[in-house]
Amino acid sequence: MLKRERLDLIMKMVTEQNFIAVSDLAKTMNVSEMTIRRDLDELSKAGKVIRLHGGVQALSLQMKTEQNFHEKREIHIAEKKEIAAIAASLVEDNETIYVGPGTTLEFMVARLDQENLRIVTNSLPVFETARKNPHNYQLILVGGSYRRISGTFYGALANDELDSMNYDKAFVGVNGISDAELLTADIEEGQTQSIGLNNAQKKVVVADMYKFNHRDFYQFYSLYDIDELVTNKQASPDVLEYYRQYTSIRTGIDS
Amino acid sequence: MLKRERLDLIMKMVTEQNFIAVSDLAKTMNVSEMTIRRDLDELSKAGKVIRLHGGVQALSLQMKTEQNFHEKREIHIAEKKEIAAIAASLVEDNETIYVGPGTTLEFMVARLDQENLRIVTNSLPVFETARKNPHNYQLILVGGSYRRISGTFYGALANDELDSMNYDKAFVGVNGISDAELLTADIEEGQTQSIGLNNAQKKVVVADMYKFNHRDFYQFYSLYDIDELVTNKQASPDVLEYYRQYTSIRTGIDS
DNA sequence: GGTACTTCTAACATTTTTGATCAGAATTCC
DNA sequence: GGAATTCTGATCAAAAATGTTAGAAGTACC
């Protein structure tokens, strides 16, 4: 039985039964539990499954349909889910986090599994996704003027409100990264996000490989001031090597 | 059986049966009672369940208010739509209005047909409805802490934000009207609404006939300070007569 | 109130699960 | 074929989960 077959079978069994124990999987496939654990790590990091003590759980139906919905209109879903899984793992119990707008960050809040989080966001889609997370986290939506295209709140009101709080960690997405510049399409949204970053102890940027060496209109932050850049493991080693001069980069493979 | 699976099953059984004994849970899941107690501690700390001597109880109070909330959406629809239509007609072109939470006000923003409005609200359902209005009005959602039961934003953040703006008109709903008192169920939501009223040139209250002579927990405003009370035409003439001593009342029939 | 009974808490013992590491097996690539 | 890479299984210490007590606290009944 090939590894690929095994992964497929695991996915099939998990989606059918919702919960499965590592021991069951090992028995039905005739491999050691260690192997299953490694498989599950891989599936979990790819954002396809939720790892539990003793076994796995399928993504909730809500999350799945939500993801299918996104899949229809969004690109690079696999990469984004992978990045979302890593970003979600950076959060710790009892933290207050700012989460900016973006599909990747929607996937991230869907996957959060820590205890007692307080989530602050100015993105309506992120807020809606967080609301469906089985953990009933405390949610704070930063209000203000509403931009229909992106579903975000911006402007003086939003900025003041965001600025009145402090965060353990901030997670933001970008449209492009070019040298030390983080770029986005909209001035006001960029400014709002930079406030979220400023008020956070630890500043995290999520960006799939396609964002590197890609420019956009407005430069809203410097990569030098970012603590952690999360991207997917398919990013070219040369690119990663180059950007490591600016900040610490985290991908799927290494720690 | 995985731990998570067990927790899910406990939640399911508790919500179905309202109360379950620790011993029952232990027996049906084939684990020791100590394990169940630890599970219950966890669920209780997460605020999902109420721990009692001998067993657990579902969140009866929340459940009830939530039921009331959903029930509220269902009843007196015709009256609410009638009131909503009148309230919507009070708005004029180019105005900035504050709209509080409530089913009636959802109907109202759906019906708005004026030009160039700016709508401020702290209710997510109202916001969502306004978003679907074919006129692309400027929408400002007042953010803050989120109350899942009612879908509203409240707290210091929301209050500050609301207080920083001025409105041509404010529209709020109530749970009850008794003499000159406007009553609602929740202190914080009441306070937020009173700020919206304070900062409005013209203060409008919408209330169907069933709200008259009905008391509730928190008194958040005085009917003396309200400019216009909108209700449905089936309200008894005696009641209308009585309440006209406090403010101007508008119904479906007369102007 | 007092007694008998049940349930709870806390501490410790036991079992299960995990992640890290390493050596051997399988696979791929030249 | 042989080297390099990837995959797998075994071992083991640490962590997590569970079970087992004994004494404390709560409840019910007289």
Side-chain angles (χ1 to χ4, degrees), chain A residues 60-102:
Chain A
S60 74
L61 210 85
Q62 264 182 358
M63 281 165 71
K64 254 190 282 177
T65 53
E66 183 92 4
Q67 291 189 0
N68 285 342
F69 173 68
H70 283 301
E71 273 168 33
K72 281 177 186 140
R73 58 172 237 259
E74 287 282 346
I75 56 175
H76 308 319
I77 295 300
E79 290 88 336
K80 286 178 176 169
K81 281 189 201 165
E82 178 193 339
I83 295 166
I86 303 167
S89 73
L90 298 178
V91 180
E92 286 159 56
D93 291 351
N94 308 309
E95 286 190 333
T96 296
I97 60 174
Y98 165 73
V99 181

Side-chain angles (χ1 to χ4, degrees), chain B residues 106-130:
Chain B
E106 289 173 44
F107 288 135
M108 172 191 158
V109 296
R111 285 189 64 90
L112 286 172
D113 196 32
Q114 288 81 358
E115 294 297 321
N116 187 33
L117 298 180
R118 185 190 285 150
I119 302 176
V120 181
T121 184
N122 63 316
S123 158
L124 190 56
V126 167
F127 177 85
E128 293 290 353
T129 309

Side-chain angles (χ1 to χ4, degrees), chain A residues 131 137 141 144 146 148 161, chain B residues 131 137 141 144 146 148 161:
Chain A
R131 202 155 58 124
Y137 297 132
L141 178 62
Y146 181 68
R148 287 162 195 271
E161 201 173 328
Chain B
R131 200 156 61 125
Y137 297 132
L141 178 63
Y146 181 68
R148 289 164 193 270
E161 200 172 330

Side-chain angles (χ1 to χ4, degrees), chain B residues 79-144:
Chain B
E79 290 89 334
K80 285 177 177 171
K81 282 190 178 165
E82 177 193 340
I83 296 166
I86 305 167
S89 72
L90 298 179
V91 181
E92 288 161 51
D93 290 352
N94 308 309
E95 285 191 332
T96 296
I97 61 174
Y98 165 72
V99 182
T103 327
T104 309
L105 297 169
E106 289 173 44
F107 288 135
M108 172 191 158
V109 296
R111 285 189 64 90
L112 286 172
D113 196 32
Q114 288 81 358
E115 294 297 321
N116 187 33
L117 298 180
R118 185 190 285 150
I119 302 176
V120 181
T121 184
N122 63 316
S123 158
L124 190 56
V126 167
F127 177 85
E128 293 290 353
T129 309
R131 200 156 61 125
K132 290 175 195 146
N133 187 304
H135 294 265
N136 283 343
Y137 297 132
Q138 188 188 342
L139 300 181
I140 297 178
L141 178 63
V142 171

Side-chain angles (χ1 to χ4, degrees), chain A residues 221-253:
Chain A
Y221 223 77
S222 164
L223 200 49
Y224 282 117
D225 298 322
I226 297 298
D227 296 297
E228 197 101 40
L229 173 60
V230 180
T231 190
N232 56 310
K233 57 173 175 277
Q234 288 82 9
S236 107
D238 296 349
V239 168
L240 292 181
E241 186 54 37
Y242 176 76
Y243 280 96
R244 272 192 218 281
Q245 67 180 297
Y246 301 118
T247 189
S248 157
I249 299 184
R250 192 178 286 248
T251 73
I253 357 176

